[in-house]
Every structure is written in structure tokens, then in C-alpha cells.
Amino acid sequence: MQISTTHYYDEFLRYYDLATKQQALCNLGQVGYLECGIDDDLMRHVELYDVVERKFAGFSQIVNDIFYGWTQDHPYWDKMQANAVTPQRRQVATAWTGKRDHFDLADWLYLFIMHRVTGSAINYATKPSGYHNSLIFHLHDCSSIEEMVTVMKGHDAPFYTSIGYQFPAFPKPPAGSGWKRGGDYYLAEYAPTLARELGDWLQRDGKKTMRQIGDWMFKWNADHGLRAYRFQYAAVIADIADWFPQFVHLESPFYYGTNAVECIGYLADPVTGRNKKSHEFLDAVMERIMRDTGGLPYNAEDVACDFIRWVENYVRPGHDYAHLDYDAIWSSSQITDHPFGRQKPMLDLGIVTTFQGMTAHPSDDKIISMAGLTPDQYREMVKTGQRHTGQPVTLASPVEAPKPKALALF
């Protein structure tokens, strides 16, 4: 499919360059975020926009720790040697040292599945963001999947997190099964078999494309009476690519979550036809991104999700970001008339009184909708500098939270 890129695409490439630099300097390197020299307040204050490879994103940090342990193979070894690590990394990486070779492929696949269906340990309001409510802290003494299930069954503390992600539609535990939660039931009665059969299949007949693995997993769920778990399994496929790349064609097309689909729709237009949600269009844009940046599709999909958050000045209020002045911390995005999320013109034009006191990021068109404006009206106000004449929006009470990364589309 032929596409025509937009000014959002030019800004995406600029963001990609900024995130690449911050990944090298701050995420993998030892330069402080505030000292990194990147002229972008949001990126310097909010530790979310610092990756172009999903292996180094917050939702994968703990997986690095359990896979590599406290060894020089760990991608953060230089930081670890310099004692520039969080207590969580020190605890997990130390406890899991040696498990990489002790576990077989099925064991690792089970851990990937468990990590992803329980929420990827993400809490975007905390630093570090990828260790929240994770059962992984308690599995290092296990030597098999069955022992992991035993630990899970006896674990009383929370080990699911929906802060930024969504759970799949777990099966309902049958009466008398002993399982109270559908997620526990799935992890005990379904996921072990899935992990072992997937591991056997991956090791046969050469490398697989991302979507071949997805088709296999979705069919497995359907054959066992489960929903597809498209979003969560897409994350597992990416884990396989990151930690067992010998089984995957890394440049093959990936899946697209709703945030990525939204972002890609801004980046380009189809030359013929108007279906921006078709695989043909999405893949064509992703191929262009791969050509222009060198980024693999499964990584670029995640960058797209971060980019649209960056354009909309996303920060999760509270915890480690409670001290920020939400009226002063903005991205350097040069798209000044984007009508969604948290935008400086909304403040400057009197559409909102203040972003201080917000308890959740105002998602989508929340602000302009509360002000009685359409996206086109907002853009015209930004263009002309016309101030809002209606009642300004007040965010002292909770507003709609941003949509979690949602189902991958096909």
C-alpha cells in the first residue's frame, strides 16, 4: 500500500532520535535524567520516554533481572558494577542468578506468560516502574513450573496490576476446583500446558514469524475454550523475540495495540483508500519506520505507543511524580494544536484553570469535551490565539484515566 506521511511522522522521527539518545545516556547509561542535556522537560522528569527497544522498557526490567541474574551478561551490567541500581534490581537479579541455564524453554515461556497476563508489574507513577505487585519476587527458589504454581497458590499478597495494562478475560474457575480467581486458575490449569506445547513447537521446523507464533497461540486458546488474549500474548511473542531470538524472524510484522493504531493513524495517510486500521496500512507505515530508523517492527510498535503519550504530555500523577508542576512540565513536541490529552494551549487559552490537583491524566478529548469544544474548534483557537469564553474546566476531582494498552488488532 502506498502511503503519504504527515507532519506527525516528521515529529515521530524527532522523538525517536530523542528517545534513542536518552536510552543510551540514561536508561542503559549512567547519566541522570535531569543532567542528560536533552531539551525536553517531560523526558527529563518522567522516566517513560527513554526507550526505542522494548527489552529496556519498564515492563521488561524484571525479566532482564531473572534471565541474566547478577552476571556480566545483564544489559545493565555497567550500572550494576557501579552500584547504580535500584534495590529491586539488586534483590531480584541476585536471587535469580544461575536460573538462566537451570530452566528450560518451557519454564521461561511460563514466566513470560505469567508476567504478561498479571499486568507486567507496571505502575507508571513509580520509579522504577516495572516491579509493582510481581510474583517473580517469590519464585527464585522454584525448580519447575509446578513449584511456581504451588507458590502462587499459597501467596496472599497482590500479584496482579492493572495500572497501565488490562487483564485478559480469564476462565471462571469451576465449583470445587479450589481456585477463587480466574487468573490463578488459568495460570495453574492452562498456562503450564501452553508453555510446554509452545516450547516444543518453537523448536521444530526453523524460525517463525511473529504472526505465526501469534496464530499458534490464539488457536491454542480457542481449542481450549479460552478467549484469544491477543494483547497479552503479543507481549509474550515480543519476550520470545527478546530473550530467545533464535526462534523468531525479528523483522517480521508484529501486532498493533489500540494506542499504536491511533498513533500510526496520525503518522500517514493511505494514498488510495481510507482504512487506517487495516493491516496493509499499518504494516506499510511500520515498514517506512523501519527503513527510516532501523527499528524492528515489534520495537517500533511500542515506540508508537510512547510517542502518542509524549505528544499528549502523559504523566501519571501521584507517588514519585506528585511533586511535579503539571502546569510547567511539557514535552518539546512541535505539534502545538493536538487537541487531546494535556496541552499547554489548553492552559494558556483559559480552557482549563490548572492541571495541578489532577488525579489522573486527562485522556483523549476529555478536556475539550468538558469545555464544549470540538477538535477543529480547538485547533482554530490555537491557530488564532482566541481565548476560551466559556466556563473553564476544573480538574480538582478525578478525571478519566488514560486507556491502558489494549487488544492487539488484526
Side-chain angles (χ1 to χ4, degrees):
M1 176 182 286
Q2 290 186 325
I3 61 170
S4 174
T5 59
T6 69
H7 64 295
Y8 277 85
Y9 186 80
D10 297 333
E11 193 67 357
F12 175 85
L13 294 181
R14 192 176 75 84
Y15 169 79
Y16 195 99
D17 183 59
L18 292 173
T20 299
K21 292 176 181 177
Q22 198 170 52
Q23 176 177 290
L25 291 172
C26 307
N27 185 310
L28 291 169
Q30 298 181 49
V31 179
Y33 285 80
L34 292 176
E35 291 78 43
C36 67
I38 292 176
D39 188 17
D40 188 293
D41 283 345
L42 188 66
M43 296 181 75
R44 290 190 298 112
H45 285 89
V46 179
E47 297 180 14
L48 171 63
Y49 307 101
D50 60 345
V51 290
V52 292
E53 297 173 70
R54 60 191 302 144
K55 185 174 184 177
F56 307 129
F59 54 61
S60 292
Q61 289 295 323
I62 199 170
V63 184
N64 282 307
D65 296 339
I66 67 175
F67 192 78
Y68 298 108
W70 197 271
T71 71
Q72 62 183 2
D73 291 336
H74 200 298
Y76 294 89
W77 182 242
D78 288 345
K79 278 188 169 183
M80 294 159 76
Q81 288 293 90
N83 199 34
V85 296
T86 63
Q88 293 93 332
R89 166 145 290 150
R90 182 173 299 279
Q91 176 185 345
V92 177
T94 300
W96 282 78
T97 301
K99 288 294 187 180
R100 179 179 178 180
D101 297 325
H102 176 80
F103 282 159
D104 62 18
L105 177 60
D107 296 325
W108 285 113
L109 293 174
Y110 180 80
L111 284 163
F112 297 161
I113 294 167
M114 182 272 294
H115 180 59
R116 298 309 178 183
V117 302
T118 57
S120 294
I122 274 293
N123 182 347
Y124 288 126
T126 63
K127 304 177 188 178
S129 62
Y131 295 85
H132 185 70
N133 286 357
S134 179
L135 189 64
I136 284 175
F137 282 100
H138 309 280
L139 299 177
H140 55 276
D141 287 330
C142 297
S143 59
S144 67
I145 295 174
E146 284 69 30
E147 290 184 9
M148 296 181 206
V149 172
T150 298
V151 170
M152 178 189 66
K153 190 171 186 178
H155 193 71
D156 294 329
F159 60 90
Y160 293 81
T161 175
S162 60
I163 304 176
Y165 279 75
Q166 65 177 212
F167 304 131
F170 292 120
K172 183 179 180 180
S177 66
W179 298 105
K180 295 181 180 179
R181 292 183 298 199
D184 296 3
Y185 175 59
Y186 163 82
L187 287 169
E189 303 297 338
Y190 292 89
T193 303
L194 168 60
R196 291 186 169 111
E197 293 183 4
L198 175 59
D200 289 343
W201 178 74
L202 285 172
Q203 295 176 83
R204 297 195 305 267
D205 303 324
K207 290 185 177 183
K208 315 295 193 297
T209 68
M210 302 276 188
R211 290 179 184 167
Q212 283 176 324
I213 300 173
D215 288 344
W216 190 96
M217 295 184 74
F218 306 144
K219 183 177 184 301
W220 191 95
N221 269 31
D223 291 344
H224 291 80
L226 300 174
R227 300 281 185 89
Y229 299 3
R230 296 183 188 277
F231 167 67
Q232 295 79 15
Y233 284 0
V236 172
I237 296 165
D239 290 341
I240 298 169
D242 280 332
W243 286 282
F244 293 96
Q246 65 269 31
F247 299 121
V248 186
H249 290 292
L250 298 180
E251 293 187 357
S252 62
F254 192 54
Y255 297 109
Y256 307 103
T258 53
N259 287 359
V261 171
E262 176 187 359
C263 172
I264 295 170
Y266 288 121
L267 301 183
D269 296 312
V271 173
T272 58
R274 297 184 179 275
N275 187 358
K276 288 191 173 186
K277 293 186 178 181
S278 70
H279 258 160
E280 291 78 11
F281 171 75
L282 298 169
D283 288 347
V285 179
M286 198 58 63
E287 288 172 7
R288 176 67 180 267
I289 291 172
M290 184 165 58
R291 188 186 79 189
D292 290 343
T293 68
L296 295 168
Y298 80 104
N299 286 324
E301 188 273 349
D302 193 62
V303 179
C305 295
D306 290 341
F307 170 71
I308 198 61
R309 289 190 180 101
W310 178 77
V311 170
E312 297 186 0
N313 291 283
Y314 172 76
V315 56
R316 184 177 178 87
H319 295 287
D320 292 329
Y321 298 117
H323 67 286
L324 295 182
D325 182 350
Y326 304 130
D327 291 343
I329 303 297
W330 307 102
S331 77
S332 63
S333 172
Q334 297 174 11
I335 302 172
T336 59
D337 64 347
H338 188 77
F340 305 140
R342 180 179 67 97
Q343 303 292 340
K344 189 172 185 296
M346 295 174 178
L347 191 67
D348 296 341
L349 298 176
I351 297 172
V352 64
T353 54
T354 179
F355 287 103
Q356 291 293 85
M358 67 178 188
T359 58
H361 175 78
S363 67
D364 301 326
D365 64 345
K366 187 68 177 181
I367 298 296
I368 61 172
S369 177
M370 291 174 68
L373 299 171
T374 68
D376 286 341
Q377 288 172 329
Y378 173 79
R379 293 188 183 98
E380 183 64 21
M381 290 176 66
V382 173
K383 179 180 178 180
T384 62
Q386 175 190 348
R387 289 188 59 83
H388 182 53
T389 57
Q391 184 71 22
V393 174
T394 300
L395 297 179
S397 58
V399 295
E400 181 181 330
K403 298 187 299 292
K405 288 189 175 182
L407 299 180
L409 301 178
F410 299 90

